[in-house]
Amino acid sequence: MKIVKFIFGSVLIVLVTAVISVFTALFTMGNPIAGGRPILWTIWYVAALLILIMALYDFSSLTKGGLKRVGLIGTVIGVVFFGSVKGYYVYTEGLRIEERGVELFDYQPFKEESDLAKLDAPSSFKIDSNLPRLDGATALYPLYASFVEAVYPSGEYNPYSTEESPVVSTTTGEAYDRLIQGKTDIIFVAGPSDLQVAAAKKAGVEFNMTPIGLEAFVFFVHEDNLVDSLKLDEIQQVYAGDIDNWSEVGGENDPIRAFQRPEGSGSQTALQRVMGDRKLMAAPVEDVPEGMGGIIEQTAAYTNHKNAIGFSFRFYATEMVEDHDIKLLQVNGIAPTVETIADGTYPITSEFYAITTEENYETHKPFLDWMTSEEGQALVERTGYVPLAKD
């Protein structure tokens, strides 16, 4: 009879715990610091402790005092366990570099105490009506926002409101989609991926790309990583999965955690170009909540553990450095600096663009020409990018 009672009680505890776990996952998995996995693990620990105490009560010779001591010891262990697990997730979350590393409101045009680059005198080119709708990569928003302040009429240009503002930043992938769909006029981005070119062709759209500056594609690691430089071929091997331990490139004996970015982002497209004919290995993934408590799998955001490597464009990465303890790697022994980008000695340097459609190019050509003029290029340089080489 005791065995039946114990089995029934254990099954009931497991079922109740499973139900509680489902609701906990739905409401807390999106916030590891507030709860999430630490709470889930603790719930199952409590269930196991209850089953143990029930087993001791039914089948051991322990007195009630002994059972209380077991319960007290188990509770103390549970508290320590929960605190340790939660502390780990708090630490891990602190290493995560959010996708949007630039706070766009800091660069909003016509805002007091803005961080925007400015001209020394009023711009020789102005747009007073029929304002071109602008969108683009997060890292390039400080640049084209400075164009807006120099050229557009004063106004409220909320960078996050696609419904109300003609000047926004929705990130590279969405900016390309919006240009193809006719929802914006000029986007400021790295060159398109093959998929983006194919999407444009399918929609009957042709891109017109105006180079407006130069930028370095960079790789970064935790500042305590012993590796300071990688050869371009080594980078390719890392992201192909052929080199998978830092000891193979002069570091410690740690597995390499090579993070990637979502498909269609400017930096992921740049990585694909760096790889050349080598096949890019599968990206690290993570489960994240989506709508109504559902869980989806997506490319994992960079987490700055000492064995991690990530990539971005120089301006965006240097925005992260101060708060996230990362260092930019040299490539082929060359550091990514303004000088090495300008003279072409840094090996992964490319142009970035103001892109419109071929159909609307003539309409926006005066503005595009101004971006490559002395005034526009001055703003490119003062923002922190490298201007185009002078003819």
Side-chain angles (χ1 to χ4, degrees), residues 62 74 94 99 111 121 123 150 183 203 219 231 281 283 286 303 374:
L62 285 177
E99 295 296 306
K111 179 183 175 183
S123 170
K183 296 179 179 180
F219 293 83
K231 296 176 183 177
M281 68 179 178
E286 61 186 347
T303 305
E374 185 175 345

Side-chain angles (χ1 to χ4, degrees), residues 235-263:
I235 291 172
Q236 292 172 333
Q237 290 185 67
V238 165
Y239 278 92
D242 298 329
I243 293 178
D244 58 10
N245 194 290
W246 285 109
S247 63
E248 299 178 63
V249 288
E252 295 183 350
N253 184 23
D254 289 315
I256 297 175
R257 178 80 161 160
F259 285 89
Q260 297 184 38
R261 296 290 303 282
E263 182 68 35

Side-chain angles (χ1 to χ4, degrees), residues 93-108:
E93 195 70 12
L95 296 175
R96 184 182 296 271
I97 292 178
E98 296 297 334
E99 295 296 306
R100 191 168 285 272
V102 177
E103 176 47 62
L104 300 186
F105 282 129
D106 291 342
Y107 298 93
Q108 187 174 348

Side-chain angles (χ1 to χ4, degrees), residues 200-279:
K201 184 176 181 180
K202 183 177 180 180
V205 172
E206 186 177 350
F207 296 137
N208 188 294
M209 301 165 57
T210 301
I212 57 172
L214 301 172
E215 179 60 317
F217 186 59
V218 300
F219 293 83
F220 50 79
V221 296
H222 192 284
E223 64 178 5
D224 291 337
N225 194 314
L226 297 180
V227 175
D228 295 317
S229 180
L230 289 174
K231 296 176 183 177
L232 183 56
D233 182 67
E234 290 173 334
I235 291 172
Q236 292 172 333
Q237 290 185 67
V238 165
Y239 278 92
D242 298 329
I243 293 178
D244 58 10
N245 194 290
W246 285 109
S247 63
E248 299 178 63
V249 288
E252 295 183 350
N253 184 23
D254 289 315
I256 297 175
R257 178 80 161 160
F259 285 89
Q260 297 184 38
R261 296 290 303 282
E263 182 68 35
S265 67
S267 52
Q268 185 69 12
T269 299
L271 176 66
Q272 291 164 350
R273 289 178 179 148
V274 166
M275 294 299 292
D277 295 331
R278 277 196 170 104
K279 184 179 179 181

Side-chain angles (χ1 to χ4, degrees), residues 1 37 42-43 46 50 89 93 122 141-142 188 205 258 274 338-339 367 374 386:
M1 190 67 182
R37 291 184 180 89
T42 303
I43 288 171
V46 171
L50 289 175
Y89 279 104
E93 195 70 12
Y141 177 77
F188 297 81
V205 172
V274 166
V338 170
E339 293 75 22
F367 189 18
E374 185 175 345
V386 178

